[in-house]
Amino acid sequence: MTDVSIDTERPLFYRPEDAAVDYDRQLGDPGEYPFTRGTRRPVPRSAGGDAAGIVRELSGEGSAERSNEQFRYLLAHGATGLDVIGDAPTMANMDPDHPFSRHAVGNQGVSLCRADDYRRLYQDIPIGEVSISHSLPYGFAIAGISIAARAHGVAPETIRGSTILAPLFSEDTCYSSNLPVELHMRMATDSIAFAAQHMPKFHAFVEDTYYISDGSVGIVDEMALGFVELREVVRRLVARGVDVDAFAPRIALLVNCGMDVFGEIAKIRASRRLYARMMREEFGAKDPRSLAINVAAHTSGATMTSAQLTNNIVRGAVQTVALHMAGVRAMEISAFDEAIRTPSRDAHIIGLRTQQVVAQETGIDDVADPLGGSYYVEALTDRLEARIEERIRVIEDLDDVVALADQGFFRAIFAEAMVDRAREVDEGTRPVVGVNVHRMPLEEDQLLRDLAERRIEPCYDIVDDVAAWKARRDMPVVLAALDDLERTGRDRDANVIPAVIAALEAEASMGECIGVLRETYDAPYDPLDATTRPGR
């Protein structure tokens, strides 16, 4: 099904006049401004080129040790990067022993709340060599890997990887952590500024449109909202005196990839071009690397179904092909069980092999931007760029974007999109094989079901372990570190990340750190009113 947010109707065929292209202005060669055709000039395999890029899979389950085993399994089977996701309490900045965390600890991601969790998570992992992506709370992802690197003898300035950002939308479309939007923005901008100085190879600014898209919005809103957020973060960094060329070379996009194959390809091409022009013409970036945004992608969890699980393998393969044709160089591929759980070992190997077969057996990467010049793709790229720019202008003309977030503007967009998508599936106007067309009885729909439905039990042992750890800490040291974090948080000109690192190393927990930072923005230490600040 094509994305109706691009056009109400696409012609049945396109002609040359539909794609009148000024090659140098609108396209350029791969690796040249405006980077529509890709951000890197291709290098032949014979000369050491690796068109496949970074091959990784989403991972993280249970304890740090259990997740570490997943990492080693993936690397042993050909992964060239890692992507770790936290469980629901971690993503909500809650400790495992919080009363509202107990039954969700470790069963949809890894549980992380202490400095030592990160040390154990990366034990014997070559974090100075392997790119590690973090679907974790941004300030704590930066702090955690920095602590782990030093513990394992790796200089933080050599670490490659990334952490996602969603400061405007995370409360509305993914993991709510009950933070004021201004504190979200502070954690985001402080993380970027810290990494620019201390972790220069790390992408601390990954604009995450995946969560936006899997919240059911269409392609135009996915990218328009992503650019609205990205632009706000860039403005704030420039306003605090950070040179745009000091951080822009490490900005990346993490996009979603749904089933509208040509729409997704055009989306990525249009986004690269729109970004390059924006950074040069609006923000005055001069370093060519600041104009060439890195694009990573995850296949769409929202397209995966719990009915007829093997259909998801096909969907993942189709999306993988689309991403390669769009020139994406880092991706994670959903396999058969994403509609039910975080990837199992079986799903990991299917996702890896999908990437490896497509990259190594099809020749799809032998030529950069293989659809460049297609009447259809060029017309669609132009149309998308115009629609995204128009939507950005409409939103930014309404009000300050943080004010819009506080008013619930973005939440309303996501809520309406979810209702619309559900109605389309119910009414059959959005065909989903196995759900509203080509269905089969559950008793016949058993292929791979025994693997996908294996239950991940909550890790109650982690809850008990964290509670015992808190009881035996040197509390004067912990309290002093939290007091210092509070002073830093109240100083709006200070960067909080060094104080977060110091607090974690003093054995404060993530939940305690974020609670103290909430208070510096006049929010309650625990919005759920179930815990109190240590020493108070």
Side-chain angles (χ1 to χ4, degrees), residues 50 52-57 74-75 77-82 131 324 329-333 351-353 355-356 359-360:
D50 180 16
I54 299 172
V55 176
R56 62 193 182 204
E57 290 296 314
L74 289 165
L75 293 172
H77 285 81
T80 58
L82 298 170
S131 173
H324 276 271
R329 295 182 48 81
M331 61 187 78
E332 302 93 36
I333 305 305
L352 273 180
R353 295 297 182 253
Q355 294 199 58
Q356 291 158 343
Q360 297 176 28

Side-chain angles (χ1 to χ4, degrees), residues 79-370:
T80 58
L82 298 170
D83 185 4
V84 56
I85 189 167
D87 61 6
T90 300
M91 299 303 290
N93 289 295
M94 293 167 62
D95 292 342
D97 62 334
H98 189 286
F100 285 82
S101 296
R102 182 175 180 84
H103 300 298
V105 174
N107 62 1
Q108 288 292 342
V110 60
S111 176
L112 301 168
C113 82
R114 305 170 280 186
D116 197 51
D117 292 335
Y118 287 91
R119 297 184 189 106
R120 290 181 285 113
L121 180 69
Y122 294 120
Q123 181 71 44
D124 298 324
I125 301 298
I127 57 178
E129 303 167 20
V130 173
S131 173
I132 303 176
S133 175
H134 297 77
S135 297
L136 294 170
Y138 17 96
F140 294 97
I142 294 280
I145 196 166
S146 177
I147 290 169
R150 285 184 278 108
H152 298 311
V154 176
E157 57 267 24
T158 67
I159 298 171
R160 293 184 301 115
S162 62
T163 185
I164 61 172
L165 295 181
L168 278 181
F169 310 126
S170 59
E171 296 291 332
D172 298 332
T173 187
C174 50
Y175 295 95
S176 174
S177 51
N178 293 298
L179 300 186
V181 179
E182 283 293 350
L183 178 52
H184 271 296
M185 280 290 180
R186 172 85 176 275
M187 295 296 286
T189 54
D190 282 6
S191 294
I192 296 162
F194 176 86
Q197 183 175 358
H198 301 287
M199 299 165 63
K201 294 184 177 182
F202 193 83
H203 288 84
F205 191 167
V206 177
E207 176 55 45
D208 186 358
T209 69
Y210 175 86
Y211 284 123
I212 298 170
S213 175
D214 255 23
S216 297
V217 302
I219 284 173
V220 170
D221 266 0
E222 174 194 354
M223 301 317 302
L225 292 172
F227 272 104
V228 164
E229 185 171 62
L230 185 153
R231 289 158 61 83
E232 178 66 14
V233 173
V234 171
R235 288 189 190 105
R236 287 175 177 242
L237 287 164
V238 171
R240 65 192 279 180
V242 183
D243 181 4
V244 67
D245 286 319
F247 65 86
R250 310 308 291 177
I251 298 177
L253 276 173
L254 174 62
V255 302
N256 199 5
C257 185
M259 292 300 289
D260 181 359
V261 171
F262 292 100
E264 296 293 347
I265 292 168
K267 172 186 82 178
I268 291 167
R269 298 173 88 248
S271 296
R272 284 195 292 252
R273 184 162 73 203
L274 196 158
Y275 176 85
R277 290 176 175 167
M278 177 187 76
M279 295 304 290
R280 185 167 79 173
E281 296 171 10
E282 184 172 349
F283 293 108
K286 297 190 171 46
D287 187 333
R289 298 174 304 159
S290 298
L291 312 178
I293 194 165
N294 290 286
V295 180
H298 191 104
T299 49
S300 172
T303 64
M304 304 294 154
T305 66
S306 59
Q308 299 180 29
L309 292 161
T310 49
N311 296 348
N312 295 334
I313 299 174
V314 180
R315 294 181 179 111
V318 168
Q319 293 167 19
T320 303
V321 169
L323 290 172
H324 276 271
M325 296 182 83
V328 173
R329 295 182 48 81
M331 61 187 78
E332 302 93 36
I333 305 305
S334 304
F336 65 92
D337 60 4
E338 177 128 349
I340 297 174
R341 53 167 292 164
T342 48
S344 61
R345 174 171 285 207
D346 305 283
H348 273 154
I349 202 67
I350 291 172
L352 273 180
R353 295 297 182 253
T354 298
Q355 294 199 58
Q356 291 158 343
V357 167
V358 170
Q360 297 176 28
E361 295 186 14
T362 66
I364 199 168
D365 293 320
D366 289 350
V367 174
D369 191 32

Side-chain angles (χ1 to χ4, degrees), residues 485-497:
L485 178 60
E486 179 180 5
R487 284 189 293 271
T488 306
R490 294 193 184 281
D491 180 355
R492 299 299 193 253
D493 294 326
N495 190 311
V496 299
I497 303 303

